[in-house]
Structure formats: structure tokens, C-alpha cells
Coordinates of all heavy atoms in Angstrom, one line a residue:
L1 N -9.9 4.8 60.5 CA -10.2 5.7 61.6 C -9.9 7.1 61.2 O -10.6 8.1 61.6 CB -9.4 5.4 62.8 CG -9.7 4.0 63.5 CD1 -8.8 3.8 64.7 CD2 -11.1 3.9 63.9
D2 N -8.9 7.3 60.3 CA -8.6 8.7 59.9 C -9.6 9.3 59.0 O -9.7 10.5 58.8 CB -7.2 8.7 59.2 CG -7.1 7.8 58.0 OD1 -7.9 6.9 57.9 OD2 -6.2 8.0 57.2
M3 N -10.5 8.4 58.5 CA -11.6 8.9 57.7 C -12.9 9.2 58.5 O -13.9 9.5 58.0 CB -11.9 7.9 56.6 CG -10.8 7.7 55.6 SD -11.1 6.5 54.4 CE -12.3 7.3 53.4
G4 N -12.8 9.0 59.8 CA -13.9 9.3 60.7 C -15.0 8.3 60.8 O -16.1 8.7 61.2
F5 N -14.8 7.1 60.6 CA -15.9 6.1 60.7 C -15.9 5.4 62.0 O -16.9 4.7 62.3 CB -15.8 5.1 59.6 CG -14.7 4.1 59.7 CD1 -14.8 2.9 60.5 CD2 -13.5 4.3 59.1 CE1 -13.8 2.0 60.6 CE2 -12.4 3.4 59.3 CZ -12.6 2.3 60.0
E6 N -15.0 5.7 62.9 CA -15.0 5.0 64.2 C -16.3 5.3 65.0 O -16.9 4.3 65.6 CB -13.8 5.4 65.1 CG -13.8 4.7 66.4 CD -12.6 5.0 67.2 OE1 -11.8 5.9 66.8 OE2 -12.4 4.4 68.3
P7 N -16.9 6.5 65.1 CA -18.1 6.6 65.9 C -19.3 5.8 65.3 O -20.0 5.2 66.1 CB -18.4 8.1 65.8 CG -17.1 8.8 65.5 CD -16.3 7.8 64.7
Q8 N -19.4 5.7 64.0 CA -20.4 4.9 63.4 C -20.2 3.5 63.7 O -21.2 2.7 63.9 CB -20.5 5.2 61.9 CG -20.9 6.6 61.5 CD -19.8 7.6 61.5 OE1 -18.7 7.3 61.8 NE2 -20.1 8.8 61.1
L9 N -19.0 3.0 63.6 CA -18.7 1.6 63.9 C -19.0 1.3 65.3 O -19.6 0.2 65.6 CB -17.2 1.3 63.6 CG -16.8 -0.1 63.7 CD1 -17.6 -1.0 62.8 CD2 -15.3 -0.2 63.3
R10 N -18.6 2.1 66.2 CA -18.9 1.9 67.7 C -20.4 1.9 67.9 O -20.9 1.0 68.7 CB -18.2 2.9 68.5 CG -16.8 2.7 68.6 CD -16.1 3.6 69.6 NE -14.7 3.4 69.7 CZ -14.1 2.4 70.3 NH1 -14.8 1.5 70.9 NH2 -12.8 2.2 70.3
Y11 N -21.2 2.7 67.2 CA -22.6 2.8 67.4 C -23.2 1.4 66.9 O -24.1 0.8 67.6 CB -23.2 3.9 66.5 CG -24.7 3.9 66.4 CD1 -25.5 4.4 67.5 CD2 -25.3 3.4 65.3 CE1 -26.9 4.3 67.4 CE2 -26.7 3.4 65.2 CZ -27.5 3.9 66.2 OH -28.8 3.8 66.1
L12 N -22.8 0.9 65.7 CA -23.3 -0.3 65.2 C -23.0 -1.5 66.2 O -23.9 -2.3 66.4 CB -22.7 -0.6 63.8 CG -23.2 0.3 62.7 CD1 -22.4 0.1 61.5 CD2 -24.7 0.1 62.5
V13 N -21.8 -1.5 66.7 CA -21.4 -2.6 67.5 C -22.2 -2.6 68.8 O -22.7 -3.6 69.3 CB -19.9 -2.6 67.9 CG1 -19.5 -3.5 69.0 CG2 -19.1 -2.9 66.6
R14 N -22.5 -1.4 69.4 CA -23.3 -1.3 70.6 C -24.7 -1.8 70.3 O -25.4 -2.5 71.1 CB -23.4 0.1 71.0 CG -22.3 0.6 72.0 CD -22.6 1.9 72.7 NE -23.1 2.9 71.8 CZ -22.3 3.8 71.2 NH1 -21.0 3.7 71.3 NH2 -22.9 4.7 70.4
K15 N -25.3 -1.5 69.1 CA -26.6 -2.0 68.7 C -26.7 -3.5 68.6 O -27.7 -4.1 68.8 CB -27.1 -1.3 67.4 CG -27.4 0.2 67.6 CD -28.7 0.3 68.4 CE -29.2 1.7 68.4 NZ -30.4 1.8 69.2
L16 N -25.6 -4.1 68.2 CA -25.6 -5.5 68.0 C -25.6 -6.3 69.3 O -25.9 -7.5 69.3 CB -24.3 -5.9 67.1 CG -24.3 -5.5 65.7 CD1 -23.0 -5.8 65.1 CD2 -25.4 -6.2 64.9
G17 N -25.2 -5.7 70.4 CA -25.2 -6.4 71.7 C -23.9 -7.0 72.0 O -22.9 -6.7 71.4
R18 N -24.0 -7.8 73.1 CA -22.8 -8.4 73.6 C -22.0 -9.2 72.6 O -22.6 -9.9 71.8 CB -23.1 -9.3 74.8 CG -23.7 -8.6 76.0 CD -24.1 -9.5 77.1 NE -23.4 -10.7 77.2 CZ -23.7 -11.7 78.0 NH1 -24.8 -11.6 78.8 NH2 -23.0 -12.8 78.0
K19 N -20.7 -9.1 72.7 CA -19.8 -9.7 71.7 C -19.8 -11.3 71.8 O -19.5 -12.0 70.8 CB -18.4 -9.2 71.7 CG -17.6 -9.5 72.9 CD -16.2 -8.8 72.8 CE -15.4 -9.0 74.1 NZ -14.1 -8.4 73.9
D20 N -20.2 -11.8 72.9 CA -20.3 -13.3 73.1 C -21.6 -13.8 72.5 O -21.8 -15.0 72.5 CB -20.1 -13.7 74.5 CG -21.1 -13.2 75.5 OD1 -21.8 -12.2 75.1 OD2 -21.3 -13.8 76.5
R21 N -22.5 -12.9 72.0 CA -23.8 -13.4 71.4 C -23.9 -13.0 70.0 O -25.0 -12.9 69.5 CB -24.9 -12.8 72.3 CG -24.9 -13.4 73.7 CD -26.2 -13.0 74.4 NE -26.2 -13.6 75.7 CZ -27.1 -13.4 76.6 NH1 -28.2 -12.7 76.2 NH2 -27.1 -14.0 77.7
R22 N -22.8 -12.7 69.3 CA -22.9 -12.3 67.9 C -21.7 -12.8 67.2 O -20.7 -13.2 67.8 CB -23.0 -10.8 67.8 CG -21.9 -10.0 68.4 CD -22.2 -8.5 68.2 NE -21.4 -7.7 69.2 CZ -20.2 -7.3 69.1 NH1 -19.4 -7.7 68.1 NH2 -19.6 -6.6 70.1
V23 N -21.8 -12.8 65.9 CA -20.6 -13.2 65.0 C -20.3 -12.0 64.1 O -21.2 -11.5 63.4 CB -21.0 -14.4 64.2 CG1 -19.8 -14.7 63.2 CG2 -21.3 -15.6 65.1
N24 N -19.1 -11.5 64.1 CA -18.6 -10.4 63.3 C -17.3 -10.8 62.6 O -16.5 -11.5 63.2 CB -18.4 -9.2 64.1 CG -19.7 -8.7 64.7 OD1 -19.9 -8.9 65.9 ND2 -20.5 -8.0 64.0
V25 N -17.1 -10.2 61.5 CA -15.8 -10.3 60.8 C -15.3 -8.9 60.4 O -16.1 -8.1 59.9 CB -15.9 -11.2 59.5 CG1 -14.6 -11.2 58.8 CG2 -16.4 -12.6 59.9
M26 N -14.1 -8.6 60.7 CA -13.6 -7.3 60.4 C -12.4 -7.5 59.4 O -11.5 -8.3 59.6 CB -13.0 -6.5 61.6 CG -14.1 -6.1 62.5 SD -13.4 -5.2 64.0 CE -12.9 -3.7 63.2
C27 N -12.5 -6.8 58.2 CA -11.5 -7.0 57.2 C -10.9 -5.6 56.9 O -11.6 -4.7 56.8 CB -12.1 -7.6 55.9 SG -12.8 -9.2 56.2
S28 N -9.6 -5.6 56.6 CA -9.0 -4.4 56.2 C -7.8 -4.7 55.3 O -7.1 -5.7 55.6 CB -8.5 -3.6 57.5 OG -7.7 -2.5 57.1
A29 N -7.6 -3.9 54.3 CA -6.5 -4.1 53.4 C -5.1 -3.9 54.1 O -4.1 -4.5 53.9 CB -6.6 -3.3 52.2
T30 N -5.1 -2.9 55.0 CA -3.9 -2.6 55.7 C -3.9 -3.0 57.2 O -2.9 -3.3 57.8 CB -3.6 -1.1 55.6 OG1 -4.8 -0.4 56.1 CG2 -3.4 -0.7 54.2
F31 N -5.0 -2.9 57.8 CA -5.3 -3.3 59.2 C -4.2 -2.6 60.2 O -3.5 -3.3 60.9 CB -5.2 -4.8 59.4 CG -6.4 -5.3 60.2 CD1 -7.7 -5.3 59.8 CD2 -6.2 -5.9 61.5 CE1 -8.7 -5.7 60.5 CE2 -7.2 -6.3 62.2 CZ -8.5 -6.3 61.8
P32 N -4.2 -1.3 60.2 CA -3.3 -0.6 61.1 C -3.5 -0.9 62.6 O -4.6 -1.5 62.9 CB -3.5 0.9 60.8 CG -4.9 0.9 60.2 CD -5.1 -0.4 59.5
S33 N -2.6 -0.5 63.4 CA -2.7 -0.9 64.8 C -4.0 -0.4 65.5 O -4.5 -1.0 66.4 CB -1.5 -0.4 65.6 OG -1.3 1.0 65.4
E34 N -4.5 0.8 65.1 CA -5.7 1.3 65.7 C -6.9 0.4 65.4 O -7.8 0.2 66.2 CB -6.0 2.7 65.1 CG -5.0 3.8 65.4 CD -3.9 3.8 64.3 OE1 -4.1 3.3 63.2 OE2 -2.8 4.3 64.6
I35 N -6.9 -0.1 64.1 CA -8.0 -1.0 63.8 C -7.8 -2.4 64.5 O -8.8 -3.0 64.9 CB -8.0 -1.2 62.2 CG1 -8.2 0.1 61.5 CG2 -9.1 -2.2 61.8 CD1 -9.5 0.7 61.7
Q36 N -6.6 -2.8 64.6 CA -6.4 -4.1 65.4 C -6.9 -3.9 66.8 O -7.5 -4.9 67.4 CB -4.9 -4.4 65.4 CG -4.4 -4.8 64.0 CD -2.9 -5.2 64.0 OE1 -2.5 -5.9 64.9 NE2 -2.2 -4.7 63.0
R37 N -6.7 -2.8 67.4 CA -7.2 -2.6 68.8 C -8.7 -2.6 68.9 O -9.3 -3.2 69.7 CB -6.6 -1.3 69.4 CG -5.2 -1.3 69.9 CD -4.8 -0.1 70.7 NE -4.8 1.1 69.9 CZ -3.8 1.5 69.2 NH1 -2.7 0.8 69.1 NH2 -3.8 2.7 68.6
M38 N -9.3 -2.0 67.9 CA -10.8 -2.0 67.8 C -11.3 -3.5 67.6 O -12.3 -3.9 68.2 CB -11.3 -1.1 66.7 CG -11.3 0.3 67.1 SD -12.0 1.5 65.9 CE -13.2 0.6 65.0
A39 N -10.6 -4.2 66.7 CA -11.0 -5.6 66.5 C -10.9 -6.4 67.8 O -11.9 -7.2 68.1 CB -10.1 -6.2 65.4
S40 N -9.9 -6.3 68.5 CA -9.8 -7.0 69.8 C -10.8 -6.6 70.8 O -11.3 -7.4 71.6 CB -8.4 -6.9 70.4 OG -8.1 -5.6 70.8
E41 N -11.2 -5.3 70.7 CA -12.3 -4.8 71.6 C -13.7 -5.3 71.2 O -14.5 -5.7 72.0 CB -12.3 -3.3 71.6 CG -13.3 -2.6 72.5 CD -13.2 -1.1 72.3 OE1 -12.2 -0.6 71.9 OE2 -14.2 -0.5 72.7
F42 N -13.9 -5.4 69.9 CA -15.3 -5.7 69.4 C -15.5 -7.2 69.2 O -16.7 -7.6 69.2 CB -15.5 -5.0 68.0 CG -15.5 -3.5 68.1 CD1 -15.3 -2.8 66.9 CD2 -15.8 -2.8 69.3 CE1 -15.4 -1.4 66.9 CE2 -15.8 -1.4 69.3 CZ -15.6 -0.7 68.1
L43 N -14.5 -8.0 69.0 CA -14.7 -9.4 68.6 C -14.4 -10.3 69.8 O -13.5 -10.1 70.6 CB -13.7 -9.7 67.5 CG -13.8 -8.9 66.2 CD1 -12.8 -9.2 65.2 CD2 -15.2 -8.9 65.6
N44 N -15.2 -11.3 69.9 CA -15.1 -12.3 71.0 C -13.8 -13.1 70.9 O -13.1 -13.2 71.8 CB -16.3 -13.2 71.0 CG -16.4 -14.0 72.2 OD1 -16.1 -13.6 73.3 ND2 -16.9 -15.2 72.1
E45 N -13.6 -13.6 69.7 CA -12.3 -14.4 69.4 C -11.6 -13.7 68.3 O -12.1 -13.8 67.1 CB -12.6 -15.8 69.1 CG -13.2 -16.6 70.2 CD -13.3 -18.1 69.9 OE1 -12.4 -18.6 69.2 OE2 -14.4 -18.7 70.3
Y46 N -10.6 -12.9 68.6 CA -9.9 -12.1 67.6 C -8.8 -12.9 67.0 O -7.8 -13.3 67.7 CB -9.4 -10.8 68.3 CG -8.5 -10.0 67.4 CD1 -8.8 -9.6 66.2 CD2 -7.3 -9.6 68.0 CE1 -8.0 -8.8 65.4 CE2 -6.4 -8.8 67.2 CZ -6.7 -8.4 65.9 OH -5.9 -7.7 65.2
Y47 N -8.9 -13.2 65.7 CA -7.8 -13.8 64.9 C -7.3 -12.8 63.9 O -8.0 -12.2 63.2 CB -8.3 -15.1 64.2 CG -8.8 -16.1 65.2 CD1 -10.1 -16.3 65.5 CD2 -7.8 -17.0 65.8 CE1 -10.5 -17.3 66.3 CE2 -8.3 -18.0 66.6 CZ -9.6 -18.1 66.9 OH -10.0 -19.1 67.8
F48 N -6.0 -12.7 63.8 CA -5.4 -11.8 62.8 C -4.7 -12.7 61.8 O -3.8 -13.4 62.0 CB -4.3 -11.0 63.6 CG -3.7 -9.9 62.7 CD1 -4.4 -8.8 62.2 CD2 -2.3 -10.1 62.3 CE1 -3.8 -7.9 61.4 CE2 -1.7 -9.1 61.5 CZ -2.5 -8.0 61.1
V49 N -5.2 -12.6 60.5 CA -4.7 -13.4 59.4 C -4.1 -12.4 58.4 O -4.7 -11.4 58.1 CB -5.9 -14.2 58.7 CG1 -5.4 -15.0 57.5 CG2 -6.5 -15.1 59.8
T50 N -2.9 -12.8 58.0 CA -2.2 -11.9 57.0 C -1.9 -12.7 55.7 O -1.8 -13.9 55.7 CB -0.9 -11.3 57.5 OG1 0.0 -12.4 57.8 CG2 -1.1 -10.5 58.8
V51 N -1.8 -12.0 54.6 CA -1.4 -12.5 53.4 C -0.3 -11.6 52.9 O -0.4 -10.4 52.7 CB -2.5 -12.6 52.3 CG1 -2.0 -13.1 51.0 CG2 -3.7 -13.4 52.8
G52 N 0.9 -12.2 52.8 CA 2.1 -11.4 52.4 C 2.6 -10.7 53.7 O 2.4 -11.1 54.8
R53 N 3.3 -9.5 53.5 CA 3.9 -8.8 54.6 C 3.0 -7.7 55.0 O 2.5 -6.9 54.1 CB 5.2 -8.2 54.1 CG 6.2 -8.0 55.2 CD 7.5 -7.5 54.8 NE 7.4 -6.1 54.4 CZ 8.1 -5.5 53.4 NH1 9.0 -6.2 52.8 NH2 7.9 -4.3 53.2
V54 N 2.7 -7.5 56.3 CA 1.8 -6.5 56.8 C 2.4 -5.1 56.4 O 3.5 -4.8 56.6 CB 1.7 -6.6 58.3 CG1 0.9 -5.4 58.9 CG2 1.1 -7.9 58.7
G55 N 1.5 -4.3 55.9 CA 1.8 -2.9 55.5 C 2.4 -2.8 54.1 O 2.7 -1.7 53.7
S56 N 2.4 -3.9 53.4 CA 2.9 -3.8 52.0 C 1.9 -4.4 51.1 O 1.0 -5.0 51.5 CB 4.3 -4.5 51.9 OG 4.1 -5.8 52.1
T57 N 2.1 -4.2 49.8 CA 1.2 -4.8 48.8 C 1.7 -6.3 48.5 O 2.8 -6.7 48.9 CB 1.2 -4.0 47.5 OG1 2.6 -4.0 47.0 CG2 0.8 -2.6 47.8
T58 N 0.8 -7.0 47.9 CA 1.1 -8.4 47.6 C 0.5 -8.7 46.2 O -0.6 -8.2 45.9 CB 0.7 -9.4 48.6 OG1 1.0 -10.7 48.2 CG2 -0.8 -9.3 48.9
D59 N 1.1 -9.6 45.5 CA 0.5 -10.1 44.3 C -0.3 -11.4 44.5 O -0.9 -11.9 43.6 CB 1.6 -10.5 43.3 CG 2.4 -9.2 42.8 OD1 1.8 -8.1 42.8 OD2 3.6 -9.4 42.5
L60 N -0.5 -11.8 45.8 CA -1.2 -13.0 46.1 C -2.7 -12.8 46.1 O -3.4 -13.8 46.3 CB -0.7 -13.6 47.4 CG 0.8 -13.9 47.5 CD1 1.2 -14.4 48.9 CD2 1.1 -15.0 46.5
I61 N -3.1 -11.6 46.1 CA -4.6 -11.3 46.2 C -5.0 -10.6 45.0 O -4.4 -9.6 44.5 CB -4.8 -10.4 47.4 CG1 -4.5 -11.1 48.7 CG2 -6.3 -10.0 47.5 CD1 -4.6 -10.3 50.0
S62 N -6.1 -11.0 44.4 CA -6.7 -10.3 43.3 C -8.2 -9.9 43.7 O -8.8 -10.6 44.6 CB -6.7 -11.1 42.0 OG -7.5 -12.3 42.2
Q63 N -8.7 -8.9 43.1 CA -10.0 -8.4 43.5 C -10.9 -8.4 42.3 O -10.4 -7.9 41.2 CB -9.9 -7.0 44.1 CG -11.1 -6.4 44.5 CD -10.9 -5.1 45.3 OE1 -10.2 -5.1 46.2 NE2 -11.5 -4.0 44.8
H64 N -12.1 -8.8 42.4 CA -13.1 -8.8 41.3 C -14.3 -8.1 41.8 O -14.8 -8.3 43.0 CB -13.4 -10.2 40.9 CG -12.3 -10.9 40.4 ND1 -11.8 -10.8 39.1 CD2 -11.4 -11.8 41.0 CE1 -10.7 -11.6 38.9 NE2 -10.5 -12.2 40.1
V65 N -14.9 -7.3 41.0 CA -16.1 -6.5 41.3 C -17.3 -7.2 40.6 O -17.3 -7.5 39.5 CB -16.1 -5.1 40.9 CG1 -17.4 -4.3 41.1 CG2 -14.9 -4.4 41.6
M66 N -18.4 -7.4 41.4 CA -19.6 -8.0 40.9 C -20.7 -6.9 41.0 O -21.0 -6.5 42.1 CB -20.1 -9.2 41.6 CG -19.1 -10.4 41.5 SD -19.6 -11.8 42.6 CE -21.3 -12.2 42.0
W67 N -21.2 -6.5 39.9 CA -22.3 -5.5 39.9 C -23.6 -6.3 40.1 O -24.0 -7.1 39.2 CB -22.4 -4.7 38.7 CG -21.2 -3.8 38.5 CD1 -20.1 -3.9 37.7 CD2 -20.9 -2.6 39.3 NE1 -19.2 -2.9 37.9 CE2 -19.7 -2.1 38.8 CE3 -21.6 -1.9 40.3 CZ2 -19.1 -0.9 39.4 CZ3 -21.1 -0.7 40.8 CH2 -19.8 -0.3 40.3
V68 N -24.3 -6.1 41.2 CA -25.5 -6.8 41.5 C -26.6 -5.9 42.0 O -26.3 -5.0 42.8 CB -25.2 -7.9 42.6 CG1 -26.4 -8.7 42.9 CG2 -24.1 -8.8 42.2
D69 N -27.8 -6.0 41.5 CA -28.9 -5.2 42.0 C -29.1 -5.5 43.5 O -28.9 -6.6 43.9 CB -30.2 -5.5 41.2 CG -30.1 -5.0 39.8 OD1 -29.4 -4.0 39.5 OD2 -30.8 -5.6 38.9
D70 N -29.6 -4.5 44.2 CA -29.8 -4.7 45.6 C -30.6 -5.9 46.0 O -30.3 -6.7 46.9 CB -30.5 -3.5 46.2 CG -29.5 -2.3 46.4 OD1 -28.3 -2.5 46.2 OD2 -30.0 -1.2 46.6
A71 N -31.7 -6.1 45.2 CA -32.6 -7.3 45.5 C -31.9 -8.6 45.3 O -32.3 -9.6 45.9 CB -33.8 -7.2 44.7
Q72 N -30.9 -8.6 44.4 CA -30.2 -9.9 44.1 C -29.0 -10.2 44.9 O -28.3 -11.2 44.8 CB -29.8 -9.9 42.6 CG -31.0 -9.8 41.7 CD -31.9 -11.0 41.8 OE1 -31.5 -12.1 41.9 NE2 -33.2 -10.8 41.9
K73 N -28.6 -9.3 45.8 CA -27.4 -9.4 46.6 C -27.3 -10.7 47.5 O -26.3 -11.4 47.5 CB -27.1 -8.2 47.5 CG -26.6 -7.0 46.6 CD -26.3 -5.8 47.5 CE -25.8 -4.7 46.6 NZ -25.5 -3.5 47.4
P74 N -28.4 -11.0 48.2 CA -28.4 -12.2 49.0 C -28.2 -13.5 48.1 O -27.4 -14.4 48.5 CB -29.7 -12.3 49.7 CG -30.2 -10.8 49.7 CD -29.7 -10.2 48.5
L75 N -28.8 -13.5 47.0 CA -28.6 -14.7 46.1 C -27.2 -14.7 45.5 O -26.6 -15.8 45.5 CB -29.7 -14.6 45.0 CG -29.7 -15.8 44.0 CD1 -30.0 -17.1 44.7 CD2 -30.7 -15.5 42.9
A76 N -26.7 -13.6 45.2 CA -25.3 -13.6 44.6 C -24.3 -14.0 45.7 O -23.4 -14.7 45.4 CB -25.0 -12.2 44.1
L77 N -24.5 -13.5 46.9 CA -23.5 -13.9 48.0 C -23.6 -15.4 48.2 O -22.6 -16.1 48.4 CB -23.8 -13.1 49.2 CG -23.0 -13.5 50.5 CD1 -21.5 -13.3 50.2 CD2 -23.5 -12.7 51.7
S78 N -24.9 -15.9 48.3 CA -25.0 -17.4 48.5 C -24.3 -18.2 47.4 O -23.7 -19.2 47.7 CB -26.5 -17.7 48.5 OG -27.2 -17.1 49.6
A79 N -24.4 -17.7 46.2 CA -23.8 -18.4 45.1 C -22.3 -18.4 45.2 O -21.6 -19.4 45.0 CB -24.2 -17.8 43.7
V80 N -21.7 -17.3 45.6 CA -20.3 -17.2 45.7 C -19.8 -18.1 46.9 O -18.8 -18.8 46.7 CB -19.8 -15.7 46.0 CG1 -18.4 -15.6 46.5 CG2 -20.0 -14.9 44.8
L81 N -20.5 -18.1 48.0 CA -20.2 -18.9 49.1 C -20.3 -20.4 48.8 O -19.5 -21.2 49.2 CB -21.0 -18.5 50.3 CG -20.7 -17.2 50.9 CD1 -21.7 -16.8 52.0 CD2 -19.3 -17.0 51.4
R82 N -21.4 -20.7 48.1 CA -21.7 -22.1 47.7 C -20.7 -22.7 46.7 O -20.2 -23.8 46.8 CB -23.1 -22.3 47.2 CG -23.5 -23.7 46.8 CD -24.8 -23.7 46.1 NE -24.7 -23.0 44.8 CZ -25.5 -22.0 44.4 NH1 -26.4 -21.5 45.2 NH2 -25.3 -21.4 43.3
D83 N -20.4 -21.9 45.7 CA -19.6 -22.4 44.5 C -18.1 -22.3 44.8 O -17.3 -22.9 44.1 CB -20.0 -21.6 43.3 CG -21.4 -21.8 42.8 OD1 -22.0 -22.8 43.3 OD2 -21.9 -20.9 42.1
G84 N -17.7 -21.5 45.8 CA -16.3 -21.4 46.1 C -15.6 -20.4 45.2 O -16.2 -19.8 44.3
P85 N -14.4 -20.3 45.4 CA -13.6 -19.3 44.6 C -13.3 -19.9 43.2 O -12.2 -20.3 42.9 CB -12.3 -19.2 45.4 CG -12.2 -20.5 46.1 CD -13.6 -21.0 46.4
T86 N -14.2 -19.8 42.3 CA -14.0 -20.3 40.9 C -13.0 -19.5 40.1 O -12.4 -20.0 39.2 CB -15.4 -20.3 40.2 OG1 -15.9 -19.0 40.2 CG2 -16.3 -21.3 40.8
R87 N -12.9 -18.2 40.5 CA -11.9 -17.3 39.8 C -11.3 -16.3 40.8 O -11.4 -15.1 40.6 CB -12.5 -16.6 38.7 CG -13.8 -16.0 39.0 CD -14.3 -15.1 37.9 NE -15.2 -14.1 38.7 CZ -15.7 -13.1 38.3 NH1 -15.5 -12.7 37.1 NH2 -16.4 -12.3 39.0
K88 N -10.9 -16.9 41.9 CA -10.2 -16.1 43.0 C -11.2 -15.0 43.5 O -10.8 -13.8 43.6 CB -8.9 -15.4 42.5 CG -7.9 -16.4 42.2 CD -6.6 -15.7 41.8 CE -5.5 -16.8 41.5 NZ -4.3 -16.1 41.2
T89 N -12.4 -15.4 43.9 CA -13.4 -14.4 44.4 C -13.0 -14.0 45.8 O -12.7 -14.9 46.6 CB -14.8 -15.0 44.3 OG1 -15.1 -15.4 43.0 CG2 -15.8 -14.0 44.8

């Protein structure tokens, strides 16, 4: 929110329609209280999942970047979801 994306996020959520007729996932590395409030406002069933201690770093998560052409993104996402976390994706 401190980066100014809240108005754009609210605009997108309004365009998507009622929260009981859509599926959304909100992810944040830190998930501060302001974002948690927005999540509870925007999501029909709000679940808060943590890994490690909230507000601190953890060695339990690793991140990998996949460079994919725009046209190939749906196929790449399908492959990751289908094949599972073969290398902590």
C-alpha cells in the first residue's frame, strides 16, 4: 500500500464483481496488517497461511525465476501446476 497500488487493486476487484462469484488469491511476502484487512474485504473466504514467523525471513522458502515469452505463459503455468514442485517451484 505504501507503494500506491491500493487504488488500482480496488478498481480491479470492483471490475471482477461480487466476491461470492469469483475466485482470488492474494499473496504477500510480508502481508502487513493493511494488506490483511484488504484481503478480508476482497475475499469471500479469507485464509491466512504463514511459513515461518510473520514479519521475519525464513530459509523454508526458495524462489526460482522462469523466463517465459508472453505467448507461452499459459502453457508454462499449466506445466508447473501439473508437474508439481519438482524443484521447490
